[in-house]
Structure formats: C-alpha cells, structure tokens
Amino acid sequence: MAVDKSQVDYVAKLARLEFSEEEKEKFVGDFNKILQFVEKLNEIDTENVEISISSYPMFNALREDEVKPSLSLDEVLLNAPDKENGYFRVPKVVD
Amino acid sequence: MHYLSAHEIRDLIRKKEVTAEEVTIKTLERIKEVDDKVNAYLEVFEDAVDSAKEIDKKIAQGEDIKDLAGIPMAIKDNICMKGRKTTCASKILENFVSPYDATVVERLKENGAVIVGRLNMDEFAMGSSTENSAFKKTKNPYDLERVPGGSSGGSAAAVAAGEAYYTLGSDTGGSIRQPASLCGVVGFKPTYGRVSRYGLVAFASSLDQIGPFTRDVEDAALVLNAICGKDSKDSTSADVNVEDFTTYLNKSLKGVKVGLPKEYFGEGIDDGVKKELEKAIALLKDLGVEIKEISLPMSQYALAVYYILSSSEASSNLARFDGIRYGVRAKDFEDVVDLYVKSRSQGFGNEVKRRIMLGTYALSSGYYDAYYKKALKVKTLIINEFKKAFEDVNLIISPTSPSVAFKFGEKADDPLKMYLSDICTVPVNIAGLPAVSIPAGLSDNLPVGLQIIGNYFKEGEIISLAHGIEKALSLNLRPNL
Amino acid sequence: MDFEAVIGLEIHAELSTKSKIFCSCTTEFGKDANTHCCPVCLGLPGALPVLNKSVVDYAIKAGLALNCSINKETYMARKNYFYPDAPKNYQITQHETPLCSEGYIEIETEEGVKRIGIQRIHIEEDAGKALHEGESSLIDFNRSGVPLIEIVTKPDMRSPKEARMFFEKLRSILLYTEVSDCKMQEGSLRCDANVSVRPKGSTEFGVKTEIKNMNSFKALEKALEYEIERQINAIKNGERIVQETRRWDEAKGQTIVMRSKEEAHDYRYFPEPDMVYLKLNDEWIEGIRKTMPELPDEKKKRYIEEFGLPEYDANIITTSKELAAFFEEAVNIGGNPKTISNWIMGEVLRILNDREMEIKDVKFTSKDLVKLISLVEKGTISNTIAKKVFVEMFETGKDPEKIVEEKGLVQITDEGAIRDIVNKVLDENPQSVADFKNGKTKAVGFIVGQVMKASKGKANPQMVNKLVEEELLKR
C-alpha cells in the first residue's frame, strides 16, 4: 500500500493537524518508507491466529459502585485556557 | 558522595553519619555544578530540602524509616505530581500543572523519597535520543557530543552524572533500557502490569511501563520493592504478589539456563558491543551458568508491530491534547475545529505529529484489518515464541542497543534509522516481559549495555543474574565530567 | 405507488448507578457545573478508567429483560472523534463485542403481537454538555462518564405508532428492572431513529436518515410521521434521499439537516488498551437473573388469568410498575380485583391524566381506595357520592371514612325519611304529578332527580326509585 498526498490530507483532517505543502511532501516520503517496512508483516500467515490485546491473560478489573470525592472546582479549572462561571469556554460549537 | 549508591546512602543515613537534608543539599549543589553541561533536568525542586527535613525529624524521633527514605531522586517528566508541572517535554503541556499524584509518586512519597526534580525526555516519550524534547538537549555524560539515548534520556543521564541517586523513567519500546545502556547505568523495565501506570502520561497504553534507573542492581531491587504492586486505579495492573526483590541478590547462578538468541547477535549489531557481551558471557560460564543458543525468528517482526501498535494507540491517547481543558491554546483561530488544528499543530513537535499521522492512518477506515489487527495477530506469535523459549531457558541475554551512544543529529533525519535503535528492546515490550539493561563494559570509552530478559513476573530471577554479572565484572563506571 | 416505512431505533439509557462508569464521581443530576469531575472523567493526562461492576450488572439485567443472549467474553473499544464535550476526544464504548445481543420485545399492534428485534446492547460512557451562549459554548463535564447502555433495534418497525409502542414498552421494562430512571426531560433516556421508505412489498432497504432530538414519545411519533412523509414526497418528486443526520425541531414541526456526510465519520475503533477483557460466568449471570422482578408481560398474563381482568385493563395497569404495585397492594388488602381495576381504569387514571401526575405522586394510599370501595359495597355511600369522596381523598389524602363522616355523606336508607322527602317533592311539583297521570312516564325520572338533589345525593337511589313510584300511584 502506498500513500499519496490526498490521503495525507485526509488523515491530517482526522487527526486535527495541519501541514505546509513541503511538510506534506515529506510525509508522503516518510510514510511510504515506514509502510514499506511495516509491510514485512505480510510475510507471515496469520489466517488462524487470534489477536492478543494484552500480553498475558488479564480480565475483570472492576471497582465497586462507590462515590468518592471529586476534585474541587478550582482544581478542575486549574489549567483551563479559557473559563467562565465555572465552565470551560470554547468558540461556539455548531452541530 | 554523588556516585554512591542509594543503598550506601541509606546506610549512612541510618548510621546517622549523614542527614537526609545534607544529602539533598549536596545533590542540589551537584545539579547546579554539572547540569549546565548535561541538561538532564527540566526543573529542579529547591524545596525538596523540606521533605528531607521531614525524614530527618522522623529519624530523630526514632521512627522506622523505609529503604528509600531521605534519598534524593527525580522523575521523568511524563509522571504526574500534584501541584507540579508535567510537560512531557512538549510545548503543548508547557504550562500544565497536575492536580493529582501518579500512583508511583504516591508510593515514593510513602517510602520517604525526596523528589528533587523533573527530567528531560523525548517529547511524549517518542524517540531514542531525547533530541525530540521541545525544551533542551540532554547530553551523554560520557561524551557531551553524544546523545544519552531516549526517550528517558534525562533519567539515565542524571543517574550517570551523579545528579540523583536513582530516577524513574518509562519504557514503551526500550525507553528505559536503551538510555541506561548508552549512559552506563542500570535500567529496569518490569513486567507489563507490575507498576501502576496511573498518572503516567500515556504514549502507548499496551506497552508503557514505569521502571527505575539506578547505579547498581541492588538499588534496582530496592526501588522495585517500593513501586511494584497492584493498583486499583489501573485496570491493567497485575494482582501478583510482590516479593522482596533484595532476597534475589547474591544468589548462586549454578545451573541457571541462559539463552542467547542468535537473531540478536547478528547483522546490525556493532562489533564493539558484541565483544563486551562476549566477555561478560564468558564470565557467566565460570559461575556455572548454562549458556545455550536459541532462536527467536519472530523478533524480526517486532519493530513493525511496535510501530503500528504504538503509533495507533498514541494517535488516540494524544487526542486529548486539544487546548480545551488544559495545555496551550493557539492564539488565533476561526472556530472550534480551527482551535484544535492550530493548538495541536503548534503544540506538537515533528516526531509526535509523524506518529499521530501514522497511527491515525493505520486505524482509519479500510486499513484497520491490514495494519492494527494484523499487528495484534503477529503480537500473539511473538508472545508464543517467547513462551516457548522460556520452556527451555530461565533467562535470555542480548545486547540492549545495537550501538553505543551516537552523535547529535546522526539519526535525527531518518526515522527508520532511529527506530532501529530499539531493535533488541522492542520485542520485550510487545510480549510484556520484564528486562533489565546493565553495564557490560566500554567500547571506544562509551558504555555498552547487556539486556537480560525474564519470563513474566520473574524480576527476581533477572536480579539474581544481573547481580552476578555486576559482581563478576565489577566495572564501577564513571564519566569524566 | 404505496410506500412503507422501515424504522430502527437507537436508545441511550443512563444506568441507575451511584458513581460514574470509570471513576468514583457521583452521577447525581443537576449540580453546579464541573463539580462532579476528577482526573478520569476530565480526561487528564495519565488518568485511567476502571469499570464499575454495577454497570455490568445493570447491563446484564437489561439484556435478560430484553431476551438477549449475554456475551461472556467482551472488551471495551475506543471510538475516536473530536468534540469539545468529549474530554479524551474518544469515547470508551463497545464495538466488536457488545455485552448483549439478539433479543426482542413484543408489542401489541392492531394486527396482533409483533416481535421487534434487538440487535445489541452495549455499555459506554456519556459525554459532557455544551451550553451555547452568544459566540461561545460553555462546557460542563458533570455528565462526562455517566454510564449508559445503548440499545440498538433491528429495522423491524413499520410505522411511527409501532416505534412509539416499542419505545414505551422498552421504557416500562427499564423502569421495572430499575436499570434506569428513564427521565426523558433530564436526558437519562434518549432516542434516535433511523428511517427509510420503500415501495410496499419490496425487500430492499431505501436510503436512511438518522433523526435526533426527540424528547418525548409524542415527539418520536410526530418526527417519524413528518420524516416519512418528507421522504415519500421527495421520492415522488424524483429527488434522491440523502444519507444524513436530521434534528427534530419541535416548534417548527420539522426535521432539519444537522450535519451532512461531507465530513465523513471515521471513528477508528480499536480495543481499549487501558482496559482488560470482561469475562462473565454462569454464576454471575444467574445471580442477576434471580434479582429480576416480574416483567410487564408476565404480570399482564397473571392479571388476566388470576384476577380475570380484561386484557386491555391488564395492559394499561402493568405498563407502569408503580400502578401495578398500587393495584396489587389494594388486592392484597382484600379488595375485589375487578372493582379495583375498574376504579383505577376510571377515576384514578382520569384524574392523573387531568393533572398530569403519576401514581407515585398521589396523597392517598391503596388502602384508602379499598376502604372507599368497601363503603360503596356496604351501601354506606352511593357510587355517585363515592366519586366525590374520591376527589376529596385525592386532594387531601384524608381517610375516606373520615370524609364521609365529616361531611355527613352517609347514605339515607331510612324508608320513612326518604318517603317524607318524596312527598315533599311531589307536593312542590304538581305539574309533574299531572304529567305522570297523563301517561308521561318521563316525569318519574325528573322527580327521582329532584329527590336525590333534595337529599344532597345521600338517599339510596334504589329506594328512591321504588318510593317515588309507590307515592305517585297513591296520588
């Protein structure tokens, strides 16, 4: 699989990133190199192989339904770049 | 005193030959003295002396203190500490102050550790040279023209330069072991799940693991004793009994079976590195260790699996850095989408963007099966191969890094070349196994690291072998600063 | 050409847990903005999710109540999208492995019982809330991380009415099982619909649209009616239906395009690496099955068989868990089930509908209703008086016996006393007496009415009838 600039544009949009034309050109090159390297995996037949999400079996990490104290409002908003009346403020969101 | 080990400092404090305050002041002085050259620290906590005084007070009152009490240490800047900045060496988190403690920080505090600062790293732990830090270039204490390795370059350099008695780093594909190797210190990556990741800013959740950098193996055992164990705040932390790892020191190595995977000693490994390892392995035979050649052919695919899994997870893990709730928000933007795009494009460095892009692509519609799912299947094969190997041997030895420390800029332009630095360490993360890098000698006056890989939760066995090698070699490496 | 609609629903229900799905913050509704937040539900760097066991329990319960199979090995997934109310810019949900799948609900249509398939139920986290104010949006993360189940139906509904019946039945089941409080006005029960139309008899699906923002049963029905008509008209005019998301605008009575597919969604699902497999065993599932209450369908069947209620009445009473409980309490106290049911179907529901109230809000108890009925049965008061007493009982919550006593409403059954009133009325109405004698039997009714009025309704009606006739004949 090879990547072209339109795919770089599409992926950048999904990732909420922007690049100069020059950077995009470089990406196409870098991407294709890395993808070519990754394509090594196609040498292996994985037809009947299960996926491993974790390295060894891990299951049922659960907590009891108990309420514990939340952060204070000051702590919640400690790092807010923009806030108003206890809310985080952003430019108007349209659906 | 800067080059004493943590356990030696512990003994001095217990014998009241020195106070925690004195040790801390000395450490802060040492940082002032050498960090202009080494650049390991992003921030030094001058008020660390206060917590040292607390420990002295407890000692004066005759209270029992823990092993690490009063000993100055520092943490990689991707581990959250309440009321302190956590930047991940990224512009986007330049001003982020954590309102909570990571579980490891809680445990260090419970153990009386004196945390003296935040350490430099590759931005969001992505890199093998610490050149990707947005703030400074950390130098290798053995040669200031060379990189300390990465991504935990600051953590390794600080221990090597005597700027802390031990440090914490994180290891996703070798980020503890490779810089430990390049800086001539001990770097331990525990089994995935041994140490809570709660409060570690995630790069790749399924691979990340916190671990210590220390001067010697005994110190590694002490730090592991303090930080390992089940945490109810981390679903992936393992509910496995934590033994006292110091009981694994000074053990006989007679009959221990060690495998040498031929794929890890082949092409791409520098001769100087191989030579130092061979010397160490020869000594092991004298100690009664059974050495056996093994084969791990699937390991050659680990790097490809790693780049798919780690980049994909990173693309999602780093989505939260958007300038809405925290972090740096771009100054000019048209609307909320533009706010995201500008804040992220200005806030992230090139390598981070490259990996986000790669991961986003690998997960995007139509490619998931070909990349991510495929990688999860090959992961199964890599795991199975290690499992099978551990039916025949107790431990596996390999080089940590294919080469000694390289020069700044040497690999910075070619991502693939840089990625190959992790070729010996990455399979271990894919399989979730524990491994350590210990100094094996010098090649061209630069440290060479030896990696010992153990089976799941067999950190103790690793410590036994590492301690045996350390004693046999008795290198006592020190940089000329 | 005749068209038919194809409707599928996606329903989100907030679960009744005390704490959030992945952290210990409270799920309480309506507190000051951003006061129920912690590193986990704010998506702070380094924070990690840990699954609330009760979320799994409730979801299993919902699955069992909706006749689903429970999947014993599942894992969570990330759904990636950027939105300011999503603190991590991904939602933790389930994708390839929902907790429950392949269930159904039966609804009663005019053509008989119809089974609506349920494709899946999965657990996931809710997002925060954005308030729009001028040029800004203000974000509150209190709701972020509140546990949800998403219930996805098969495209089995063919009319807005069926969709509404399904949704009502589903709500009733969720309330019975206490899986959710289902408060639609607080957003704890939300419904989106996928709608398409096709020529009747066709087996292929048309292009569907997704309708959001339907905040009541009525809105669901109206929005679907509008959308189906819109699609049919479009097709008749030779237009193409576009796959899009539309919002129901209650005030305008229209569905309006929300977002076009220009920006295609590419959610990049993958297994959540911060979490581990969820493994269930039979013991766990059976343990939950044991806590399952009698569900509306079972209850209805029992009411018909055991109490002889008409199907219609049984259906209405069992739709509300509280109403059914009220009914059963009354029966247990010793009332006649049919009489109680008649009262509930009549006076009780009438007044509740009038006042827009629910049974749990009333001041009187089931015991009061039984007392009232027995007052009628014993002949202490007439049915007419009983209805008045009921209104009083509803308003004040007073004991009906006390109301009857205080207001002197005891029925007059003394023949002499009634005869006196009858004669007084006859004396006052000579014209009616004359009419009767001229064969106009209607006059009887008028006189009876006057007697009842004169007795303030307290005279025993049967006796009044008898005595009026007797006295008229005497004249």
Side-chain angles (χ1 to χ4, degrees):
Chain A
M1 278 177 247
V3 170
D4 59 26
K5 227 182 80 202
S6 73
Q7 275 167 301
V8 170
D9 282 333
Y10 173 74
V11 173
K13 202 169 169 186
L14 281 179
R16 298 287 188 272
L17 290 170
E18 66 184 0
F19 300 99
S20 67
E21 287 305 308
E22 202 184 327
E23 286 173 309
K24 282 183 205 165
E25 292 293 341
K26 189 163 185 305
F27 259 121
V28 173
D30 280 358
F31 254 44
N32 282 327
K33 253 202 220 166
I34 297 168
L35 292 178
Q36 205 188 338
F37 172 70
V38 160
E39 238 126 80
K40 219 174 134 72
L41 296 184
N42 293 335
E43 295 166 8
I44 316 167
D45 178 12
T46 50
E47 182 76 33
N48 297 313
V49 180
E50 295 275 324
I51 62 166
S52 287
I53 296 175
S54 56
S55 309
Y56 51 89
M58 284 195 253
F59 49 86
N60 293 6
L62 296 157
R63 40 169 276 269
E64 293 301 316
D65 183 21
E66 287 165 0
V67 174
K68 287 179 188 165
S70 299
L71 291 176
S72 71
L73 185 60
D74 285 346
E75 285 170 318
V76 169
L77 297 173
L78 178 68
N79 292 287
D82 193 3
K83 56 191 168 185
E84 185 183 319
N85 290 331
Y87 290 87
F88 294 88
R89 187 161 67 184
V90 298
K92 185 159 186 167
V93 184
V94 277
D95 284 319
Chain B
M1 184 157 150
H2 316 299
Y3 286 111
L4 292 181
S5 65
H7 59 90
E8 285 165 328
I9 293 292
R10 172 200 62 189
D11 295 342
L12 290 177
I13 291 176
R14 286 194 173 163
K15 280 188 249 158
K16 304 202 174 157
E17 287 176 19
V18 64
T19 64
E21 186 183 353
E22 282 161 7
V23 178
T24 305
I25 290 169
K26 282 252 157 76
T27 300
L28 294 174
E29 280 170 8
R30 172 70 177 174
I31 296 169
K32 276 201 190 89
E33 185 193 328
V34 300
D35 207 49
D36 280 351
K37 287 188 246 172
V38 179
N39 276 333
Y41 280 85
L42 288 173
E43 188 189 354
V44 179
F45 307 148
E46 300 291 343
D47 57 357
V49 179
D50 297 340
S51 46
K53 282 182 188 161
E54 292 285 315
I55 300 298
D56 288 332
K57 218 189 268 170
K58 282 187 183 169
I59 295 170
Q61 286 162 355
E63 273 182 52
D64 271 350
I65 55 158
K66 304 227 169 95
D67 283 323
L68 300 177
I71 303 172
M73 62 83 61
I75 60 175
K76 187 176 182 179
D77 200 24
N78 59 353
I79 298 172
C80 291
M81 214 187 314
K82 190 173 174 163
R84 306 276 191 192
K85 281 188 185 174
T86 304
T87 71
C88 296
S90 179
K91 274 196 283 184
I92 208 161
L93 284 180
E94 197 165 7
N95 54 9
F96 176 74
V97 175
S98 176
Y100 76 103
D101 273 334
T103 297
V104 281
V105 171
E106 272 180 12
R107 292 196 176 167
L108 287 172
K109 287 180 176 174
E110 284 163 18
N111 278 276
V114 176
I115 307 173
V116 299
R118 303 186 284 117
L119 296 161
N120 198 24
M121 57 188 279
D122 280 305
E123 184 179 5
F124 286 106
M126 296 174 187
S128 307
S129 66
T130 314
E131 288 167 290
N132 294 331
S133 167
F135 304 125
K136 52 169 70 163
K137 276 193 169 53
T138 299
K139 316 280 172 62
N140 190 311
Y142 284 84
D143 179 349
L144 300 177
E145 310 268 283
R146 291 177 189 266
V147 302
S151 67
S152 312
S155 305
V159 172
E163 296 183 80
Y165 290 96
Y166 67 99
T167 59
L168 290 189
S170 65
D171 192 317
T172 307
S175 281
I176 289 174
R177 290 157 290 153
Q178 185 258 14
S181 166
L182 269 48
C183 291
V185 296
V186 174
F188 208 120
K189 183 204 95 78
T191 309
Y192 183 83
R194 261 295 194 193
V195 181
S196 169
R197 293 185 297 114
Y198 188 78
L200 168 69
V201 182
F203 159 16
S205 309
S206 71
L207 306 166
D208 296 344
Q209 190 62 196
I210 292 174
F213 287 86
T214 55
R215 299 254 158 71
D216 63 18
V217 175
E218 182 170 349
D219 281 1
L222 290 181
V223 181
L224 289 178
N225 277 351
I227 64 173
C228 288
K230 170 80 185 156
D231 177 19
S232 59
K233 290 191 192 123
D234 176 1
S235 307
T236 63
S237 87
D239 197 1
V240 173
N241 182 41
V242 181
E243 317 127 288
D244 177 357
F245 292 117
T246 60
T247 60
Y248 286 89
L249 299 166
N250 300 310
K251 282 260 169 105
S252 158
L253 296 176
K254 213 168 187 156
V256 172
K257 288 185 208 137
V258 168
L260 305 178
K262 59 177 188 208
E263 293 82 2
Y264 289 62
F265 288 87
E267 226 181 299
I269 310 294
D270 285 358
D271 287 340
V273 171
K274 276 189 218 167
K275 219 175 88 196
E276 294 308 309
L277 254 75
E278 278 157 14
K279 278 196 263 174
I281 291 162
L283 286 175
L284 280 180
K285 285 183 187 155
D286 299 341
L287 295 173
V289 173
E290 286 175 35
I291 305 286
K292 194 173 165 182
E293 188 183 272
I294 58 168
S295 177
L296 296 169
M298 277 295 158
S299 283
Q300 63 175 306
Y301 299 103
L303 204 54
V305 170
Y306 174 76
Y307 275 93
I308 294 169
L309 296 184
S310 68
S311 302
S312 298
E313 290 179 22
S315 74
S316 176
N317 280 333
L318 271 62
R320 67 184 66 191
F321 304 108
D322 61 1
I324 304 273
R325 281 147 287 113
Y326 46 79
V328 177
R329 184 181 289 191
K331 283 204 177 65
D332 300 305
F333 46 82
E334 282 160 26
D335 54 25
V336 77
V337 173
D338 199 38
L339 183 160
Y340 286 139
V341 171
K342 294 256 158 51
S343 302
R344 289 166 61 79
S345 297
Q346 293 164 19
F348 291 137
N350 285 336
E351 182 60 22
V352 172
K353 284 188 222 174
R354 188 182 356 248
R355 301 218 199 182
I356 292 174
M357 288 288 286
L358 182 66
T360 306
Y361 173 75
L363 290 175
S364 68
S365 175
Y367 297 104
Y368 176 79
D369 283 358
Y371 292 118
Y372 199 81
K373 207 161 200 172
K374 179 87 185 180
L376 287 183
K377 287 180 169 186
V378 179
K379 177 177 172 179
T380 305
L381 298 175
I382 293 170
I383 291 168
N384 290 345
E385 188 175 86
F386 271 112
K387 273 191 192 157
K388 205 156 168 289
F390 283 117
E391 286 170 11
D392 291 334
V393 297
N394 304 101
L395 297 155
I396 294 169
I397 285 182
S398 82
T400 309
S401 165
S403 67
V404 291
F406 46 92
K407 290 202 162 147
F408 285 99
E410 199 179 315
K411 298 183 183 178
D413 289 338
D414 186 348
L416 262 186
K417 214 167 152 191
M418 184 72 90
Y419 296 173
L420 288 170
S421 310
D422 301 327
I423 192 122
C424 300
T425 47
V426 151
V428 175
N429 297 77
I430 300 297
L433 296 165
V436 72
S437 177
I438 57 168
L442 292 173
S443 168
D444 296 332
N445 291 318
L446 291 168
V448 169
L450 176 151
Q451 176 174 241
I452 306 170
I453 308 167
N455 207 343
Y456 297 103
F457 303 104
K458 300 292 185 193
E459 284 84 358
E461 290 183 15
I462 295 178
I463 286 169
S464 295
L465 183 63
H467 196 225
I469 298 174
E470 184 181 75
K471 281 192 297 186
L473 287 171
S474 57
L475 290 167
N476 240 338
L477 297 182
R478 263 180 215 187
N480 242 330
L481 265 177
Chain C
M1 190 169 20
D2 260 2
F3 285 89
E4 76 171 355
V6 176
I7 303 165
L9 300 180
E10 286 174 19
I11 289 135
H12 287 91
E14 278 182 7
L15 300 179
S16 310
T17 58
K18 296 192 276 287
S19 66
K20 293 187 177 180
I21 182 165
F22 300 127
C23 63
S24 304
C25 289
T26 174
T27 54
E28 216 179 316
F29 178 79
K31 282 290 152 75
D32 290 343
N34 293 309
T35 53
H36 296 168
C37 304
C38 75
V40 177
C41 56
L42 277 177
L44 289 191
L48 295 171
V50 182
L51 185 58
N52 181 340
K53 182 173 174 291
S54 287
V55 169
V56 181
D57 291 343
Y58 279 122
I60 294 172
K61 204 167 185 185
L64 293 174
L66 301 179
N67 308 297
C68 291
S69 47
I70 311 297
N71 300 316
K72 288 189 181 157
E73 200 166 305
T74 61
Y75 52 86
M76 306 302 293
R78 289 191 189 173
K79 178 182 181 180
N80 294 284
Y81 64 97
F82 281 87
Y83 205 76
D85 64 10
K88 303 180 292 297
N89 288 319
Y90 59 80
Q91 180 194 31
I92 304 177
T93 175
Q94 293 185 307
H95 183 54
E96 287 174 314
T97 59
L99 197 55
C100 320
S101 50
E102 294 298 322
Y104 63 86
I105 283 182
E106 285 178 345
I107 57 169
E108 252 144 281
T109 68
E110 275 149 28
E111 294 90 46
V113 173
K114 181 171 174 179
R115 206 170 252 205
I116 308 293
I118 287 167
Q119 195 184 311
R120 59 186 280 153
I121 305 174
H122 66 250
I123 53 176
E124 61 184 25
E125 59 179 335
D126 208 343
K129 239 178 181 171
L131 256 119
H132 307 297
E133 195 196 75
E135 287 306 295
S136 303
S137 290
L138 302 176
I139 319 286
D140 170 11
F141 289 104
N142 281 352
R143 206 180 64 185
S144 164
V146 166
L148 298 176
I149 46 173
E150 180 175 336
I151 301 163
V152 183
T153 76
K154 294 186 175 166
D156 286 352
M157 287 153 278
R158 292 291 171 269
S159 70
K161 200 172 171 207
E162 281 184 15
R164 179 188 176 141
M165 287 169 85
F166 171 86
F167 192 25
E168 282 176 343
K169 185 72 171 277
L170 175 67
R171 179 174 183 268
S172 164
I173 292 171
L174 295 179
L175 285 170
Y176 261 78
T177 48
E178 291 171 358
V179 162
S180 171
D181 69 10
C182 294
K183 287 181 182 160
M184 291 172 82
Q185 67 283 5
E186 290 180 10
S188 60
L189 186 68
R190 312 195 280 268
C191 179
D192 301 333
N194 288 306
V195 203
S196 62
V197 298
R198 65 183 176 192
K200 217 164 191 159
S202 165
T203 50
E204 278 167 40
F205 292 117
V207 176
K208 66 181 180 188
T209 58
E210 189 184 356
I211 317 295
K212 290 187 174 289
N213 194 41
M214 297 169 294
N215 298 322
S216 66
F217 296 124
K218 220 157 94 190
L220 172 68
E221 201 171 346
K222 274 164 62 188
L224 288 174
E225 277 165 7
Y226 174 89
E227 180 61 17
I228 291 162
E229 202 184 308
R230 186 191 72 81
Q231 289 189 14
I232 292 172
N233 286 337
I235 291 169
K236 282 184 177 162
N237 291 334
E239 293 162 29
R240 223 164 44 92
I241 305 294
V242 186
Q243 187 170 340
E244 61 195 1
T245 304
R246 303 174 71 91
R247 184 174 59 84
W248 171 244
D249 188 318
E250 184 83 46
K252 289 191 186 138
Q254 293 176 356
T255 62
I256 294 161
V257 184
M258 263 174 91
R259 43 181 109 108
S260 68
K261 286 279 156 176
E262 183 250 321
E263 197 192 329
H265 285 296
D266 189 339
Y267 289 126
R268 291 158 282 139
Y269 286 101
F270 71 103
E272 166 58 280
D274 283 330
M275 299 185 76
V276 297
Y277 275 96
L278 180 62
K279 263 195 193 174
L280 306 176
N281 54 24
D282 289 332
E283 201 186 331
W284 188 343
I285 297 168
E286 290 315 307
I288 289 176
R289 202 189 295 278
K290 276 187 204 137
T291 67
M292 196 69 80
E294 188 181 32
L295 294 175
D297 280 352
E298 297 158 1
K299 237 186 221 314
K300 186 176 100 185
K301 211 169 142 223
R302 183 163 64 86
Y303 286 7
I304 295 168
E305 284 168 6
E306 201 173 310
F307 303 133
L309 298 197
E311 186 170 340
Y312 180 79
D313 298 10
N315 203 25
I316 300 274
I317 291 174
T318 54
T319 297
S320 154
K321 184 183 187 178
E322 284 89 8
L323 197 60
F326 185 91
F327 168 76
E328 285 183 37
E329 259 172 50
V331 171
N332 288 339
I333 291 164
N336 176 299
K338 266 185 157 166
T339 319
I340 296 165
S341 161
N342 286 340
W343 267 89
I344 290 176
M345 295 297 294
E347 295 312 298
V348 177
L349 285 177
R350 184 175 316 142
I351 204 159
L352 288 177
N353 287 339
D354 275 359
R355 311 279 170 98
E356 292 185 350
M357 284 169 70
E358 285 179 59
I359 192 73
K360 64 179 195 300
D361 306 322
V362 300
K363 289 178 181 159
F364 66 91
T365 64
S366 49
K367 199 170 167 190
D368 294 329
L369 184 66
V370 175
K371 269 191 192 168
L372 181 64
I373 291 170
S374 100
L375 286 171
V376 177
E377 281 172 351
K378 281 189 290 189
T380 315
I381 57 172
S382 68
N383 243 319
T384 321
I385 292 287
K387 285 177 188 172
K388 286 183 188 158
V389 174
F390 174 76
V391 173
E392 176 83 15
M393 189 169 102
F394 179 87
E395 300 288 358
T396 62
K398 270 190 191 164
D399 186 321
E401 285 169 2
K402 227 175 217 153
I403 297 171
V404 169
E405 196 188 304
E406 278 174 16
K407 301 224 160 168
L409 297 174
V410 176
Q411 187 163 259
I412 304 168
T413 46
D414 174 0
E415 197 174 309
I418 296 176
R419 201 180 294 276
D420 287 348
I421 302 172
V422 170
N423 278 320
K424 200 171 158 237
V425 170
L426 290 179
D427 290 346
E428 284 164 4
N429 294 283
Q431 186 57 47
S432 298
V433 177
D435 287 348
F436 176 78
K437 289 198 164 162
N438 290 332
K440 291 186 184 166
T441 44
K442 262 192 188 166
V444 178
F446 173 76
I447 291 163
V448 168
Q450 292 301 304
V451 173
M452 289 308 290
K453 202 173 156 189
S455 75
K456 291 179 182 139
K458 291 190 292 187
N460 179 306
Q462 286 84 32
M463 290 176 75
V464 172
N465 268 319
K466 189 184 124 218
L467 295 173
V468 166
E469 263 182 57
E470 275 178 31
E471 290 302 313
L472 271 172
L473 290 172
K474 282 189 199 161
R475 300 238 167 176

